[in-house]
DNA sequence: CTGTTAGCGCTTTCAG
DNA sequence: CTGAAAGCGCTAACAG
């Protein structure tokens, strides 16, 4: 590649008739430069199209103004949102984002942290799948600070931002509060997200609503067709539910669309709520009520904390536990 | 941040009793080092946990082994797949991927290209939305090579990989070939992807099948509920279609699920095909036949071309036009 | 307010 | 086969 002959700080200095220190001061906004000199140099910079060589600067300052975002797989549906938010904050603070997929491979993940030692990135935002113990060790050995996304032990040597796991209760509370009593569950009762089912059962109990086995529809995958099947199932019950709590949005969308297809009205006849607040929630008719897991928020906060830590010296690690947020849309409450 | 005292090439040299040139030769696999020396030095490297400072190396070699992926918005559904593929190839070649969203903002996009001049990245993979003329100018001024994804003019000063726009014909050919004649269209007839509707009309014509206005269902958004509505519409026709060509996969999924909900069999009664081959195609029952737009393939190729160009000196620019690929699954052909 | 000077950690001729 | 020395482009004392 016939690289354009790069213009350096020396070129600018020479042409402007000053020393390179002066130029350096100007491009770094160091106070105490005579306005006239500044003007003169800036003109030359403009003229020559000079832009500082960040690599050289990094070598000196030991800061690359790059941070890594290490996640298991960007194709995972939540991550684009997260990556986006992270990049926003990074950009606002003049940092760049390097994307690293570690594929849920612990050794790969740990390698990523070590790699950072070679001074390419100033910090790492990590969604870890490693054992906290191993992770702790590697973080301690790392040359740069790490900010974690997810729920971790209290004593992690890193800032982290996680999420309280009460999404299910939020969704159920909402349905009960709007007066529904025959609330059905659609989804998986055993998956690692089975705690959503637990939330279903416990919410009923704490509101003295009888649990009714026939109102539970279990599907394998938490996808749209499971929701559609659930809708068909609920529709043919003698006593139809007046609300459905779906284990995630995909199922909820299937349920809502399925019920509508069968002639019921949502939310009038049946209210439907999902969990995750995926972008599609606003693309369906009616728009889906859901519980946001604040993935963008977590990305944003993690980067903010990381950048703070890169800047300042040591201070106590922060753990931030976000509260999932219920977002009421048309599938549970008729909008005016 | 109390950075661990970094061990440098000098530390290794001193401890191993050799010069740093020798260490440099060893870590760069330069031939002509006495095996014994090599062994000795490698042991010290291991012992000290030395890893070369890439920033310093970059300053010298003028290569950062980083490439930028500049897209408009990672949250766009195709990009994660693309970003993933790009990162794969990058990693295989020992490059890192820096993610940059330019938000379909031409000036931002062009700024990205210029920024690369500051030597942080060795090349850029770009999904451009700028005018080819402006783009050409900026690319020519850029200090690093650019590889483009999408369809561009022949005379672009960059390698590019695009896609032939015959997805619609592929889908229609398939339906006709499996013997369907009452083929319906579901989607948008005017959108910028309206050429899919054109493909529908022209395919019918070239196979001497009469066009039937009542077999066209037009919805605003290319989303699932449009498909569900279309299904209801088709279901209530006196003469139902025996196949549906949907403008994209979301609509196709809606159509298929809707028809099944109404009691029809897919593909026996109605074959359904979509376009885009989104991951969900394999998550529905039946699995959806679709036309892949090879987004991962494009990401892969773009990075490959870019890396080749970073390595070698000038050579003729390549334009690669990929053929969309029909992927037959259960929604059009009954699987054994 | 500005210039001189000494590196940051590495690669790379050029000698030996 | 190995070492000495120069320098990539920049920043940051330290003098003046």
């Amino acid at each position: 590649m016939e690289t354009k002959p790069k213009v350096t700080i020396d070129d600018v200095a020479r042409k402007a008739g000053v020393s390179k220190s002066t130029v350096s001061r100007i491009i770094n906004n160091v106070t105490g430069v005579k306005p006239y000199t500044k003007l003169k140099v800036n003109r030359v910079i403009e003229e020559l199209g000079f832009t500082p060589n960040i690599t050289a600067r990094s070598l000196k300052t030991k800061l690359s103004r790059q941070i890594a975002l290490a996640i298991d797989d960007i194709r995972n549906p939540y991550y684009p949102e997260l990556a986006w938010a992270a990049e926003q904050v990074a950009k606002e603070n003049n940092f760049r984002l390097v994307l690293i997929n570690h594929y849920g491979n612990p050794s790969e993940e740990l390698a990523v942290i070590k790699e950072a030692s070679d001074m390419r990135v100033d910090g790492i935002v990590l969604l870890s799948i490693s054992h906290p113990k191993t992770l702790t060790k590697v973080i301690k050995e790392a040359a740069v600070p790490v900010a974690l996304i997810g729920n971790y032990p209290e004593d992690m040597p890193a800032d982290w931002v996680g999420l309280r796991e009460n999404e299910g209760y939020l969704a159920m509370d909402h349905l009960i509060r709007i007066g529904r009593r025959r609330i059905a569950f659609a989804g998986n009762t055993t998956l690692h997200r089975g705690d959503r089912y637990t939330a279903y059962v416990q919410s009923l109990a704490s509101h003295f609503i009888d649990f009714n086995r026939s109102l539970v529809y279990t599907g394998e995958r938490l996808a749209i067709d499971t929701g559609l099947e659930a809708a068909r199932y609920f529709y043919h019950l003698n006593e139809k539910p007046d609300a459905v709590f779906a284990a995630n949005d995909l199922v909820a969308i299937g349920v809502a669309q399925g019920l509508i297809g069968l002639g019921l009205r949502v939310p009038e006849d049946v209210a439907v709520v999902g969990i995750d607040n995926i972008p599609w929630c606003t693309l369906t008719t009616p728009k889906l009520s859901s519980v946001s897991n604040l993935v963008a928020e977590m990305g944003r906060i993690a980067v903010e904390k990381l950048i703070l830590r890169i800047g300042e010296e040591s201070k106590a690690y922060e753990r931030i536990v976000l509260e999932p947020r219920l977002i009421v849309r048309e599938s549970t409450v008729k909008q005016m």
Side-chain angles (χ1 to χ4, degrees), chain A residues 265-296:
Chain A
R265 292 169 308 161
V266 175
E268 294 88 334
D269 300 323
V270 186
V272 178
V273 64
I275 287 185
D276 285 348
N277 195 38
I278 61 177
W280 286 21
C281 289
T282 60
L283 296 178
T284 55
T285 312
K287 298 192 176 73
L288 189 73
S289 295
S290 185
V291 180
S292 169
N293 50 21
L294 304 177
V295 57

Side-chain angles (χ1 to χ4, degrees), chain A residues 28-299:
Chain A
N28 289 296
N29 266 312
V30 176
T31 57
V33 179
K34 199 159 62 177
Y36 173 66
T37 318
K38 197 163 181 174
L39 199 75
K40 191 173 58 178
V41 172
N42 272 327
R43 189 157 25 225
V44 176
I45 287 179
E46 185 73 25
E47 205 174 313
L48 262 40
F50 166 74
T51 130
N53 179 322
I54 308 189
T55 304
R57 177 180 289 169
S58 291
L59 184 57
K60 190 71 192 176
T61 62
K62 304 193 165 315
L63 279 181
S64 66
R65 297 211 79 79
Q66 291 197 144
I67 58 184
L69 174 65
I71 57 189
D72 56 354
D73 192 335
I74 184 73
R75 294 171 302 175
N76 206 313
Y78 305 132
Y79 296 164
E81 194 83 16
L82 197 161
W84 175 82
E87 207 233 338
Q88 288 304 98
V89 183
K91 184 182 281 180
E92 281 162 21
N93 291 277
N94 241 307
F95 275 79
R96 289 273 198 67
L97 201 69
V98 180
L99 186 68
I100 305 179
N101 298 139
H102 57 61
Y103 303 106
N105 178 342
S107 69
E108 177 89 9
E109 174 188 319
L110 303 178
V112 165
I113 301 183
K114 293 207 160 159
E115 251 186 63
S117 304
D118 63 22
M119 238 187 68
R120 283 272 27 144
V121 300
D122 299 335
I124 307 173
V125 172
L126 175 68
L127 258 109
S128 175
I129 40 79
S130 292
H131 187 80
K133 211 148 186 175
T134 328
L135 185 58
T136 299
K137 191 156 161 284
V138 179
I139 290 180
K140 278 189 174 151
E141 283 169 2
V144 296
V146 174
L148 299 165
I149 292 183
N151 295 314
Y152 298 85
E154 274 296 323
D155 58 348
M156 220 59 183
D159 301 305
W160 60 255
V161 46
L163 196 64
R164 194 168 149 213
E165 293 190 335
N166 64 337
E167 334 83 79
Y169 295 92
L170 283 178
M172 285 297 292
D173 272 8
H174 174 53
L175 293 178
I176 292 168
R177 192 160 307 162
I178 61 175
R180 310 290 167 144
R181 286 298 175 272
R182 290 190 54 80
I183 302 175
F185 177 85
N188 197 302
T189 55
T190 54
L191 228 51
H192 85 282
R193 274 306 197 179
D195 42 337
R196 289 179 185 175
Y197 178 66
T198 308
Y200 170 72
V201 176
Q202 295 201 346
S203 292
L204 290 178
S206 63
H207 288 270
F208 309 107
I209 302 175
D210 285 339
F211 171 81
N212 182 341
R213 186 75 190 88
S214 69
L215 286 179
V216 175
Y217 181 87
T218 310
E220 305 171 43
R221 283 194 320 261
L222 295 186
I224 292 209
D225 48 347
T226 295
L228 290 161
E229 288 156 17
R232 257 167 267 149
Y233 168 79
F234 294 140
Y235 181 78
H236 291 105
L237 288 178
N238 286 331
E239 290 200 87
K240 299 184 183 37
D242 60 8
V244 179
F245 165 40
N248 77 4
D249 288 335
L250 297 185
V251 173
I253 289 172
V255 168
Q257 301 300 337
L259 291 174
I260 290 170
L262 293 163
L264 293 182
R265 292 169 308 161
V266 175
E268 294 88 334
D269 300 323
V270 186
V272 178
V273 64
I275 287 185
D276 285 348
N277 195 38
I278 61 177
W280 286 21
C281 289
T282 60
L283 296 178
T284 55
T285 312
K287 298 192 176 73
L288 189 73
S289 295
S290 185
V291 180
S292 169
N293 50 21
L294 304 177
V295 57
E297 188 88 357
M298 294 210 285

